[in-house]
Amino acid sequence: MTEISERAVVRRLNDRFGFGPAPGDLEASVDVTVRRLLGPAKDAAAEAVPAPTGLQPPDVAKKKDDKDAKKAANKQRAAQERKLTMWWLDRMVVSRTAGERLTWFWHGHFATSNQKVRNAAWMLAQNQTQRNLALGRFGDLAQSMIVDTAMIRWLDGQKNRKGSPNENLGREFMELFTLGIGHYQEADVAQGARCLTGWVLRKDVATFERKRFDTGSKTVLGKTGDFDAKGFARLALAQPASAGFVIGRLWFRLVSATPPDAATVARLTTAYGVNRDVKSLLTAMVAEAAFKDPASSLVKEPVEWAVGLLRALRLRPSKLEEKEQTKLLAGLRGMGQLPFRPPSVGGWPAGASWLTTSAGVTRLQLAQQLARKADLSTVDNATDRVSAVGALLGVDNWTARTRSALAGVKDPAQLTAVAACAPEYVVSG
């Protein structure tokens, strides 16, 4: 099997485990890049972006017909969500390790939308939990998510009571988060719902109230006992299918749309280990031949594309003018992907789903907007502007067709925008 060049591997590492290369990143070796992305426990650059404050739920109107109060509350919620989203985009742009990229992955895996949660503080708390555990043990993350306040609200966990089960959280936890379709029975869903009773939503956090918990023997996934929420999570994680499922989800988003063969899964399962170590698993994925296979290209998700472009242009989302921030968020929404707003519990689509005509138009408009705000002197002053814009964006080689198209664009901002929409940049090759 042919392999891509070392420089191309470095670019792929920055695309898959980060949000694209920052200026100078492509000059590093593969080993140095892996150490930067997967070595540090904390990302100093991202941690320097202060977390948003004042994310308090608005007072709910006491009267159902108080339209003005409801309108004001909705406006307050929208402002808080916008503040939260801009903060996360800032973190993504400045991030230097894989931690932020994996936080983004887990957000799509344990997909939770503020459209229903309607509480920016709860979404922030979930986001911080996913970040703190992003590269650690998957079991710790899964057990945290099953009792997470935003997740409980999202999947109606607070409605799950003794004698009146709600199966949403238990079903999705097995089907979408830990095992996959075909690895549990309907009886497991029903009994799993009993394990998840007792959780209620108060103003600040989800709280366990034992008097609401369905005590007694439960048989779930072949085991019998008086299991609670975390016990239920442990049962799912202990299933042989769990490791392969999680490995497959990470592989699909970070390595290749082609599933790994049995031998590869076996090697990756060994790296994942009994501790379900995500960082060890990612390190092993990089070592697989498929990671260097030219065929293992992935279409960038809109957020990945936009954050990578902001990084290349040295633009911070929060530093843009308010109207420009609004356009940025509108552009992401127009392309179909906005942080804290996954379309369903299944998360966002992948691949060609992002290459629609309408998304392409929105992508170009957003690229034009951002390029007009950037310092493009290195492109403007270059003898070979097409190569210069490639260096700016971290693209080594343009196809003859793309180079010919770019050569006809004279304005540096327009050239940069068109280049950012070329296949060589939209696709992580």
Side-chain angles (χ1 to χ4, degrees):
M1 180 180 69
T2 58
E3 294 185 353
I4 57 177
S5 68
E6 179 172 0
R7 187 179 176 87
V9 173
V10 171
R11 181 190 172 197
R12 187 172 282 186
L13 281 165
N14 281 286
D15 282 347
R16 309 295 174 82
F17 294 164
F19 292 96
D25 281 347
L26 296 186
E27 307 309 317
S29 68
V30 169
D31 289 344
V32 168
T33 303
V34 170
R35 285 198 298 272
R36 172 173 60 79
L37 291 167
L38 295 174
K42 292 289 184 180
D43 188 330
E47 292 296 323
V49 180
T53 57
L55 304 182
Q56 299 301 322
D59 293 330
V60 180
K62 295 181 179 180
K63 296 180 180 180
K64 293 183 179 180
D65 59 350
D66 193 340
K67 294 182 179 179
D68 289 340
K70 288 182 179 178
K71 184 177 180 179
N74 287 335
K75 184 176 181 180
Q76 186 178 346
R77 288 192 187 94
Q80 291 183 6
E81 183 177 343
R82 176 183 173 124
K83 185 178 183 180
L84 180 63
T85 303
M86 295 306 298
W87 164 77
W88 197 9
L89 290 173
D90 263 8
R91 284 192 64 114
M92 292 179 190
V93 169
V94 303
S95 62
R96 299 296 294 152
T97 77
E100 211 63 36
R101 177 64 182 83
L102 265 292
T103 304
W104 173 248
F105 170 84
W106 294 125
H107 176 46
H109 183 82
F110 293 102
T112 306
S113 174
N114 200 40
Q115 181 176 8
K116 180 176 178 178
V117 175
R118 292 166 62 82
N119 189 311
W122 290 357
M123 296 300 296
L124 172 61
Q126 183 188 82
N127 182 260
Q128 295 284 38
T129 298
Q130 291 173 348
R131 178 173 296 105
N132 292 337
L133 302 174
L135 292 168
R137 298 185 297 186
F138 178 73
D140 294 342
L141 177 58
Q143 289 189 50
S144 294
M145 287 297 100
I146 206 167
V147 295
D148 174 77
T149 303
M151 180 66 74
I152 287 174
R153 173 72 178 91
W154 172 235
L155 291 178
D156 305 312
Q158 80 282 6
K159 297 180 181 179
N160 184 17
R161 299 183 178 89
K162 181 178 181 179
S164 181
N166 184 293
E167 298 177 349
N168 286 359
L169 179 54
R171 182 184 300 278
E172 306 300 7
F173 188 82
M174 290 186 289
E175 180 175 319
L176 296 175
F177 303 159
T178 56
L179 295 176
I181 297 173
H183 296 290
Y184 62 89
Q185 306 296 322
E186 285 302 306
D188 298 317
V189 176
Q191 293 290 292
R194 294 180 59 208
C195 301
L196 303 181
T197 54
W199 288 90
V200 297
L201 293 179
R202 299 307 183 200
K203 184 174 182 180
D204 297 324
V205 70
T207 304
F208 180 72
E209 293 188 358
R210 180 157 290 279
K211 65 182 180 181
R212 294 173 179 255
F213 177 62
D214 188 350
T215 59
S217 180
K218 311 166 184 83
T219 300
V220 184
L221 297 169
K223 301 292 183 180
T224 301
D226 187 11
F227 303 116
D228 60 6
K230 291 193 175 182
F232 170 70
R234 284 192 292 270
L235 291 173
L237 293 165
Q239 294 297 299
S242 181
F245 176 76
V246 175
I247 288 168
R249 291 293 293 268
L250 283 160
W251 181 274
F252 181 71
R253 295 285 180 174
L254 303 179
V255 180
S256 174
T258 302
D261 59 28
T264 302
V265 172
R267 288 191 297 271
L268 296 177
T269 300
T270 299
Y272 191 43
V274 294
N275 289 327
R276 302 174 182 86
D277 190 304
V278 175
K279 183 181 290 190
S280 294
L281 173 59
L282 297 180
T283 302
M285 285 182 174
V286 173
E288 288 294 329
F291 195 83
K292 303 175 182 65
D293 188 341
S296 295
S297 60
L298 294 174
V299 177
K300 294 178 184 176
E301 298 176 6
V303 166
E304 296 168 14
W305 172 85
V307 170
L309 181 57
L310 285 158
R311 183 195 295 249
L313 299 179
R314 304 191 186 202
L315 297 175
R316 283 279 294 274
S318 65
K319 302 299 183 183
L320 297 172
E321 298 175 7
E322 185 175 354
K323 64 179 181 180
E324 299 296 335
Q325 293 181 20
T326 299
K327 290 179 181 179
L328 169 60
L329 297 178
L332 291 173
R333 187 181 296 109
M335 288 187 286
Q337 190 174 52
L338 195 62
F340 301 110
R341 288 281 178 148
S344 72
V345 69
W348 285 284
S353 301
W354 302 121
L355 300 179
T356 63
T357 301
S358 60
V361 171
T362 303
R363 185 183 296 112
L364 178 58
Q365 291 172 340
L366 181 54
Q368 290 170 328
Q369 172 205 336
L370 296 178
R372 286 194 294 268
K373 295 295 179 181
D375 177 3
L376 300 176
S377 56
T378 57
V379 176
D380 193 18
N381 297 329
T383 303
D384 182 351
R385 287 183 169 184
V386 176
S387 295
V389 78
L392 179 69
L393 298 178
V395 177
D396 284 335
N397 295 301
W398 303 108
T399 64
R401 181 178 181 180
T402 299
R403 176 172 281 277
S404 176
L406 294 178
V409 183
K410 303 303 180 184
D411 177 67
Q414 185 67 4
L415 172 61
T416 302
V418 173
C421 296
E424 292 88 340
Y425 189 73
V426 172
V427 175
S428 171

